[in-house]
Amino acid sequence: EDCLSDALHQALTKRFVDRRTSILLKKLKDKETLVAEVNEFGVVMIEGERIGSLDGFKFRQDKTSSSEEDKALRQAAVLALQPHIVLSSEKIYLAADSEFDICDQGEIAWNGCKVGKLQKGSNRLKPLIEVFIDEEISVDIRLKISKRLQLLIDRKISTIFEKLLNMSNDQDLTGSAKGLAYRLVENLGIITRESVYDEVKKLAQDDRAKLRKHGVRFGQFTIFFPILLKPAATNLRLVLSSLYLDFKFFFSPPLPGLVTIPSLSNAPANYYRDCGYRLCGDRAIRIDMLERLADLLRNKNSRQGFEADSEMLSITGTSLVQFVKLLYDFLFQIHPKQLL
């Protein structure tokens, strides 16, 4: 009975597909004007018959019984969808930036539909755009959508990384200050202090003051822009960095508001820095909280031990047991001489 039911279902489906196909192909052969309708779920209907779905500017065709029919129906669908595509391209071109989202994997969504993705450019702050659009769509429409998406990402980068870009264009920065500014731009606003130890050592107080005016904070362990630890900047930095490093898979950022997070077994080395964290053993702590903790520990005797207080636990967002482990790993990793 099950086999008979399956066979009957397949036969009815084939009859429906064949009927739908024959109707549309006849109209196409007679050169009748076909009008496509797209509902709110992206389902494409022509002459009352479903033929596929439209995801952004990509048409996904339902299967027919032969490749020749597939090809003919696709031509009919693309032709019938042309007015809808033109109208959508006008809407996306005039859309506000708030209507777009940049996903964790670098894809760009417009009103829930993925319409393109970021591509590696000349540097981290200059990504390019790949548009998700069918080959049959005209070049003019493709260029219009590409131009709009490029404007979107360029404007988002210039807004979120405004202070970083202003610093890079400051002609008053020279010598070591200019070199450090370059390193900060290259790493999207966060670098470990030990990685630029020589540059920092050569900085005159006047040069430090110039960099501080741009928003740079000289922490004990990290040199960074505090404003670039906000979720929007963190998300975009992680995408841009992963894109530039040719990662096939982009790791998602930690949830906003977490001051410490468990370490990931397979995260790339730059992941924690780009997220604004410092890895310490099996946990990572946000770099601004690490600096606050360092200020509290500055007058403590780490050799003989000290009593952790509620402020320390609050800063790290840990239990007492987790705090002891975090602090030990932190001292061992960053200050191994203190354990000798």
Side-chain angles (χ1 to χ4, degrees):
E1 289 179 357
D2 289 341
C3 292
L4 180 60
S5 177
D6 291 342
L8 181 60
H9 175 72
Q10 290 176 5
L12 290 173
T13 300
K14 185 176 185 301
R15 180 184 297 178
F16 171 76
V17 170
D18 289 344
R19 174 181 169 276
R20 175 196 64 184
T21 304
S22 62
I23 292 173
L24 294 178
L25 289 180
K26 182 178 184 302
K27 289 180 178 292
L28 182 64
K29 184 178 180 181
D30 294 341
K31 296 184 179 180
E32 293 186 25
T33 301
L34 300 179
V35 178
E37 296 179 359
V38 184
N39 68 17
E40 58 182 318
F41 304 106
V43 175
V44 179
M45 307 283 289
I46 296 183
E47 301 296 323
E49 305 288 348
R50 171 180 170 138
I51 63 168
S53 60
L54 189 66
D55 184 11
F57 296 90
K58 293 282 274 187
F59 173 63
R60 307 191 186 283
Q61 181 178 342
D62 292 344
K63 289 294 182 182
T64 62
S65 56
S66 74
S67 59
E68 290 184 2
E69 291 175 346
D70 276 344
K71 184 177 180 180
L73 278 178
R74 182 171 184 83
Q75 291 176 346
V78 172
L79 184 63
L81 282 169
Q82 188 71 12
H84 179 85
I85 296 293
V86 171
L87 181 60
S88 292
S89 68
E90 291 292 338
K91 287 182 178 179
I92 197 173
Y93 190 76
L94 298 174
D97 287 355
S98 58
E99 296 181 30
F100 297 89
D101 292 303
I102 297 179
C103 308
D104 290 347
Q105 300 304 307
E107 295 169 325
I108 302 173
W110 174 57
N111 291 335
C113 297
K114 292 179 179 177
V115 293
K117 68 177 181 179
L118 302 180
Q119 293 287 339
K120 182 177 179 179
S122 58
N123 62 55
R124 285 176 173 82
L125 291 169
K126 294 183 179 179
L128 302 176
I129 294 294
E130 176 188 344
V131 178
F132 295 160
I133 189 169
D134 287 320
E135 295 180 357
E136 297 90 344
I137 305 301
S138 70
V139 175
D140 289 344
I141 292 178
R142 183 186 300 271
L143 290 176
K144 176 180 286 188
I145 299 171
S146 178
K147 182 179 179 180
R148 178 63 186 93
L149 298 185
Q150 189 69 59
L151 178 63
L152 167 75
I153 187 60
D154 290 345
R155 194 150 54 195
K156 187 173 285 288
I157 288 173
S158 64
T159 299
I160 291 178
F161 296 105
E162 180 181 9
K163 288 186 175 294
L164 190 68
L165 295 171
N166 288 342
M167 180 188 66
S168 69
N169 295 324
D170 188 348
Q171 300 299 317
D172 290 337
L173 297 178
T174 58
S176 297
K178 186 175 182 179
L180 183 57
Y182 176 81
R183 294 289 299 275
L184 279 166
V185 172
E186 188 179 39
N187 291 279
L188 301 181
I190 301 175
I191 48 177
T192 59
R193 187 152 184 154
E194 63 264 28
S195 68
V196 288
Y197 177 81
D198 292 334
E199 290 96 322
V200 174
K201 192 175 180 180
K202 295 176 183 177
L203 280 179
Q205 288 302 317
D206 183 54
D207 288 332
R208 289 177 184 246
K210 290 178 181 178
L211 290 171
R212 286 194 180 100
K213 284 183 179 179
H214 287 289
V216 177
R217 178 178 176 185
F218 289 86
Q220 188 173 341
F221 308 107
T222 313
I223 299 173
F224 63 103
F225 284 78
I227 195 173
L228 296 183
L229 297 183
K230 293 183 177 181
T234 297
N235 295 350
L236 186 56
R237 177 171 51 246
L238 196 58
V239 168
L240 294 176
S241 182
S242 300
L243 182 71
Y244 192 73
L245 294 173
D246 295 318
F247 290 160
K248 300 300 181 184
F249 174 79
F250 301 175
F251 280 81
S252 299
L255 294 175
L258 296 179
V259 292
T260 59
I261 56 173
S263 63
L264 301 176
S265 59
N266 55 345
N270 70 301
Y271 172 74
Y272 299 102
R273 184 202 66 205
D274 289 335
C275 289
Y277 286 74
R278 180 79 178 233
L279 183 62
C280 301
D282 59 1
R283 296 188 71 81
I285 181 171
R286 213 170 67 200
I287 56 176
D288 57 336
M289 294 297 105
L290 177 59
E291 297 298 340
R292 284 183 60 186
L293 178 61
D295 290 339
L296 292 178
L297 299 180
R298 201 177 306 278
N299 297 322
K300 302 294 183 180
N301 192 327
S302 59
R303 289 177 177 270
Q304 296 181 6
F306 57 89
E307 183 177 352
D309 56 34
S310 59
E311 186 176 4
M312 295 177 187
L313 299 181
S314 176
I315 284 175
T316 57
T318 60
S319 66
L320 183 58
V321 173
Q322 289 175 326
F323 177 77
V324 172
K325 178 70 165 57
L326 177 73
L327 190 61
Y328 179 84
D329 291 335
F330 164 66
L331 291 173
F332 182 77
Q333 176 181 316
I334 304 179
H335 295 299
K337 292 182 180 180
Q338 292 191 23
L339 299 178
L340 298 179

